[in-house]
Amino acid sequence: MATIQIRHVPDEVHEKLQRRAGSAGQSLQQYMLDFVCREAELAAVEELLARKRVEALAYGEIELDPDMIVEIIRSDRESH
């Protein structure tokens, strides 16, 4: 299994996460592992939905208005 290390976490962020872990009855490591796993799963769902939107566009199932096109381009730029 891989290891991830995060350096330079601001003290106030560390303290908040430590409190949340304690409230959940978890160590900080377990809390962060659960968080990272949920985030990875969420990203996979978002990627799937994005592919489905592209397929729908390719088959003419949906049409885009100019505002939607701008939003898609902006979102793509921000993701890189």
Side-chain angles (χ1 to χ4, degrees):
M1 201 174 286
T3 300
I4 297 174
Q5 183 177 37
I6 302 173
R7 297 175 189 228
H8 310 296
V9 176
D11 291 337
E12 59 275 6
V13 172
H14 180 267
E15 291 166 9
K16 286 179 186 179
L17 293 170
Q18 190 74 46
R19 281 194 302 274
R20 290 179 187 171
S23 294
Q26 297 178 309
S27 67
L28 181 57
Q29 178 169 331
Q30 185 60 52
Y31 181 82
M32 293 306 301
L33 178 59
D34 290 349
F35 177 84
V36 169
C37 290
R38 281 191 312 271
E39 183 62 29
E41 194 61 35
L42 178 62
V45 170
E46 289 174 350
E47 291 165 2
L48 175 64
L49 291 174
R51 281 197 304 273
K52 291 297 182 186
R53 284 192 296 270
V54 168
E55 289 173 8
L57 283 170
Y59 293 113
E61 296 170 5
I62 61 173
E63 293 183 23
L64 294 177
D65 63 53
D67 291 335
M68 191 180 262
I69 294 169
V70 170
E71 182 57 35
I72 290 169
I73 292 170
R74 183 176 292 126
S75 176
D76 183 60
R77 286 180 182 162
E78 291 172 357
S79 71
H80 298 302

PDB file of all heavy atoms in Angstrom, residues 57 63-77:
ATOM      1  N   LEU A  57     -23.502  14.676 -26.170  1.00  0.00           N
ATOM      2  CA  LEU A  57     -23.254  15.731 -27.156  1.00  0.00           C
ATOM      3  C   LEU A  57     -22.929  15.125 -28.520  1.00  0.00           C
ATOM      4  O   LEU A  57     -23.422  15.575 -29.544  1.00  0.00           O
ATOM      5  CB  LEU A  57     -22.097  16.620 -26.704  1.00  0.00           C
ATOM      6  CG  LEU A  57     -22.403  17.635 -25.627  1.00  0.00           C
ATOM      7  CD1 LEU A  57     -21.109  18.260 -25.128  1.00  0.00           C
ATOM      8  CD2 LEU A  57     -23.323  18.707 -26.163  1.00  0.00           C
ATOM      9  N   GLU A  63     -28.148  19.764 -26.527  1.00  0.00           N
ATOM     10  CA  GLU A  63     -27.565  20.916 -27.197  1.00  0.00           C
ATOM     11  C   GLU A  63     -27.009  21.857 -26.146  1.00  0.00           C
ATOM     12  O   GLU A  63     -27.526  21.936 -25.035  1.00  0.00           O
ATOM     13  CB  GLU A  63     -28.630  21.639 -28.028  1.00  0.00           C
ATOM     14  CG  GLU A  63     -29.125  20.826 -29.194  1.00  0.00           C
ATOM     15  CD  GLU A  63     -30.125  21.595 -30.040  1.00  0.00           C
ATOM     16  OE1 GLU A  63     -30.121  22.834 -30.000  1.00  0.00           O
ATOM     17  OE2 GLU A  63     -30.911  20.927 -30.725  1.00  0.00           O
ATOM     18  N   LEU A  64     -25.957  22.574 -26.518  1.00  0.00           N
ATOM     19  CA  LEU A  64     -25.327  23.511 -25.601  1.00  0.00           C
ATOM     20  C   LEU A  64     -25.652  24.938 -26.005  1.00  0.00           C
ATOM     21  O   LEU A  64     -25.628  25.283 -27.179  1.00  0.00           O
ATOM     22  CB  LEU A  64     -23.808  23.337 -25.609  1.00  0.00           C
ATOM     23  CG  LEU A  64     -23.256  22.024 -25.086  1.00  0.00           C
ATOM     24  CD1 LEU A  64     -21.746  22.012 -25.238  1.00  0.00           C
ATOM     25  CD2 LEU A  64     -23.639  21.819 -23.641  1.00  0.00           C
ATOM     26  N   ASP A  65     -25.900  25.764 -24.994  1.00  0.00           N
ATOM     27  CA  ASP A  65     -26.027  27.186 -25.284  1.00  0.00           C
ATOM     28  C   ASP A  65     -24.660  27.829 -25.039  1.00  0.00           C
ATOM     29  O   ASP A  65     -23.786  27.227 -24.415  1.00  0.00           O
ATOM     30  CB  ASP A  65     -27.121  27.835 -24.431  1.00  0.00           C
ATOM     31  CG  ASP A  65     -26.836  27.788 -22.946  1.00  0.00           C
ATOM     32  OD1 ASP A  65     -25.740  28.228 -22.542  1.00  0.00           O
ATOM     33  OD2 ASP A  65     -27.716  27.339 -22.188  1.00  0.00           O
ATOM     34  N   PRO A  66     -24.422  29.030 -25.534  1.00  0.00           N
ATOM     35  CA  PRO A  66     -23.106  29.667 -25.397  1.00  0.00           C
ATOM     36  C   PRO A  66     -22.620  29.783 -23.947  1.00  0.00           C
ATOM     37  O   PRO A  66     -21.435  29.581 -23.681  1.00  0.00           O
ATOM     38  CB  PRO A  66     -23.320  31.049 -26.020  1.00  0.00           C
ATOM     39  CG  PRO A  66     -24.434  30.850 -26.991  1.00  0.00           C
ATOM     40  CD  PRO A  66     -25.326  29.822 -26.357  1.00  0.00           C
ATOM     41  N   ASP A  67     -23.513  30.072 -23.004  1.00  0.00           N
ATOM     42  CA  ASP A  67     -23.101  30.179 -21.605  1.00  0.00           C
ATOM     43  C   ASP A  67     -22.582  28.847 -21.076  1.00  0.00           C
ATOM     44  O   ASP A  67     -21.628  28.788 -20.309  1.00  0.00           O
ATOM     45  CB  ASP A  67     -24.261  30.654 -20.728  1.00  0.00           C
ATOM     46  CG  ASP A  67     -24.648  32.100 -21.009  1.00  0.00           C
ATOM     47  OD1 ASP A  67     -23.776  32.864 -21.486  1.00  0.00           O
ATOM     48  OD2 ASP A  67     -25.805  32.456 -20.754  1.00  0.00           O
ATOM     49  N   MET A  68     -23.212  27.767 -21.507  1.00  0.00           N
ATOM     50  CA  MET A  68     -22.792  26.443 -21.071  1.00  0.00           C
ATOM     51  C   MET A  68     -21.412  26.116 -21.646  1.00  0.00           C
ATOM     52  O   MET A  68     -20.566  25.541 -20.962  1.00  0.00           O
ATOM     53  CB  MET A  68     -23.819  25.397 -21.496  1.00  0.00           C
ATOM     54  CG  MET A  68     -23.616  24.036 -20.885  1.00  0.00           C
ATOM     55  SD  MET A  68     -24.879  22.881 -21.464  1.00  0.00           S
ATOM     56  CE  MET A  68     -25.998  22.957 -20.089  1.00  0.00           C
ATOM     57  N   ILE A  69     -21.160  26.490 -22.886  1.00  0.00           N
ATOM     58  CA  ILE A  69     -19.860  26.253 -23.513  1.00  0.00           C
ATOM     59  C   ILE A  69     -18.766  27.002 -22.752  1.00  0.00           C
ATOM     60  O   ILE A  69     -17.710  26.444 -22.448  1.00  0.00           O
ATOM     61  CB  ILE A  69     -19.881  26.669 -24.999  1.00  0.00           C
ATOM     62  CG1 ILE A  69     -20.824  25.749 -25.775  1.00  0.00           C
ATOM     63  CG2 ILE A  69     -18.468  26.635 -25.596  1.00  0.00           C
ATOM     64  CD1 ILE A  69     -21.125  26.215 -27.185  1.00  0.00           C
ATOM     65  N   VAL A  70     -19.027  28.251 -22.427  1.00  0.00           N
ATOM     66  CA  VAL A  70     -18.061  29.053 -21.663  1.00  0.00           C
ATOM     67  C   VAL A  70     -17.776  28.385 -20.321  1.00  0.00           C
ATOM     68  O   VAL A  70     -16.628  28.284 -19.884  1.00  0.00           O
ATOM     69  CB  VAL A  70     -18.570  30.497 -21.473  1.00  0.00           C
ATOM     70  CG1 VAL A  70     -17.706  31.249 -20.476  1.00  0.00           C
ATOM     71  CG2 VAL A  70     -18.603  31.223 -22.813  1.00  0.00           C
ATOM     72  N   GLU A  71     -18.806  27.909 -19.641  1.00  0.00           N
ATOM     73  CA  GLU A  71     -18.637  27.269 -18.339  1.00  0.00           C
ATOM     74  C   GLU A  71     -17.815  25.986 -18.452  1.00  0.00           C
ATOM     75  O   GLU A  71     -16.959  25.715 -17.616  1.00  0.00           O
ATOM     76  CB  GLU A  71     -20.003  26.965 -17.710  1.00  0.00           C
ATOM     77  CG  GLU A  71     -19.909  26.344 -16.347  1.00  0.00           C
ATOM     78  CD  GLU A  71     -19.130  27.177 -15.336  1.00  0.00           C
ATOM     79  OE1 GLU A  71     -19.203  28.418 -15.395  1.00  0.00           O
ATOM     80  OE2 GLU A  71     -18.443  26.577 -14.489  1.00  0.00           O
ATOM     81  N   ILE A  72     -18.040  25.207 -19.495  1.00  0.00           N
ATOM     82  CA  ILE A  72     -17.273  23.974 -19.698  1.00  0.00           C
ATOM     83  C   ILE A  72     -15.805  24.291 -19.929  1.00  0.00           C
ATOM     84  O   ILE A  72     -14.918  23.661 -19.343  1.00  0.00           O
ATOM     85  CB  ILE A  72     -17.854  23.158 -20.873  1.00  0.00           C
ATOM     86  CG1 ILE A  72     -19.215  22.585 -20.483  1.00  0.00           C
ATOM     87  CG2 ILE A  72     -16.894  22.048 -21.295  1.00  0.00           C
ATOM     88  CD1 ILE A  72     -19.993  21.985 -21.633  1.00  0.00           C
ATOM     89  N   ILE A  73     -15.520  25.281 -20.747  1.00  0.00           N
ATOM     90  CA  ILE A  73     -14.133  25.669 -21.021  1.00  0.00           C
ATOM     91  C   ILE A  73     -13.471  26.182 -19.750  1.00  0.00           C
ATOM     92  O   ILE A  73     -12.349  25.806 -19.420  1.00  0.00           O
ATOM     93  CB  ILE A  73     -14.069  26.724 -22.147  1.00  0.00           C
ATOM     94  CG1 ILE A  73     -14.504  26.082 -23.464  1.00  0.00           C
ATOM     95  CG2 ILE A  73     -12.661  27.318 -22.264  1.00  0.00           C
ATOM     96  CD1 ILE A  73     -14.719  27.073 -24.588  1.00  0.00           C
ATOM     97  N   ARG A  74     -14.167  27.023 -19.004  1.00  0.00           N
ATOM     98  CA  ARG A  74     -13.623  27.579 -17.757  1.00  0.00           C
ATOM     99  C   ARG A  74     -13.342  26.457 -16.755  1.00  0.00           C
ATOM    100  O   ARG A  74     -12.267  26.408 -16.141  1.00  0.00           O
ATOM    101  CB  ARG A  74     -14.602  28.589 -17.152  1.00  0.00           C
ATOM    102  CG  ARG A  74     -14.075  29.248 -15.891  1.00  0.00           C
ATOM    103  CD  ARG A  74     -15.020  30.317 -15.382  1.00  0.00           C
ATOM    104  NE  ARG A  74     -15.033  31.438 -16.317  1.00  0.00           N
ATOM    105  CZ  ARG A  74     -16.142  31.953 -16.865  1.00  0.00           C
ATOM    106  NH1 ARG A  74     -17.314  31.491 -16.557  1.00  0.00           N
ATOM    107  NH2 ARG A  74     -16.065  32.967 -17.702  1.00  0.00           N
ATOM    108  N   SER A  75     -14.257  25.537 -16.634  1.00  0.00           N
ATOM    109  CA  SER A  75     -14.089  24.417 -15.705  1.00  0.00           C
ATOM    110  C   SER A  75     -12.888  23.563 -16.100  1.00  0.00           C
ATOM    111  O   SER A  75     -12.105  23.144 -15.243  1.00  0.00           O
ATOM    112  CB  SER A  75     -15.360  23.585 -15.688  1.00  0.00           C
ATOM    113  OG  SER A  75     -15.202  22.473 -14.879  1.00  0.00           O
ATOM    114  N   ASP A  76     -12.736  23.318 -17.399  1.00  0.00           N
ATOM    115  CA  ASP A  76     -11.619  22.526 -17.866  1.00  0.00           C
ATOM    116  C   ASP A  76     -10.294  23.228 -17.580  1.00  0.00           C
ATOM    117  O   ASP A  76      -9.327  22.609 -17.127  1.00  0.00           O
ATOM    118  CB  ASP A  76     -11.754  22.244 -19.361  1.00  0.00           C
ATOM    119  CG  ASP A  76     -10.637  21.356 -19.875  1.00  0.00           C
ATOM    120  OD1 ASP A  76     -10.521  20.225 -19.369  1.00  0.00           O
ATOM    121  OD2 ASP A  76      -9.875  21.803 -20.741  1.00  0.00           O
ATOM    122  N   ARG A  77     -10.221  24.520 -17.818  1.00  0.00           N
ATOM    123  CA  ARG A  77      -8.989  25.280 -17.550  1.00  0.00           C
ATOM    124  C   ARG A  77      -8.631  25.258 -16.079  1.00  0.00           C
ATOM    125  O   ARG A  77      -7.465  25.136 -15.711  1.00  0.00           O
ATOM    126  CB  ARG A  77      -9.156  26.725 -18.022  1.00  0.00           C
ATOM    127  CG  ARG A  77      -9.102  26.880 -19.511  1.00  0.00           C
ATOM    128  CD  ARG A  77      -9.265  28.311 -19.911  1.00  0.00           C
ATOM    129  NE  ARG A  77      -9.253  28.447 -21.346  1.00  0.00           N
ATOM    130  CZ  ARG A  77      -9.703  29.502 -22.002  1.00  0.00           C
ATOM    131  NH1 ARG A  77     -10.224  30.506 -21.339  1.00  0.00           N
ATOM    132  NH2 ARG A  77      -9.670  29.537 -23.312  1.00  0.00           N
TER     133      ARG A  77
END
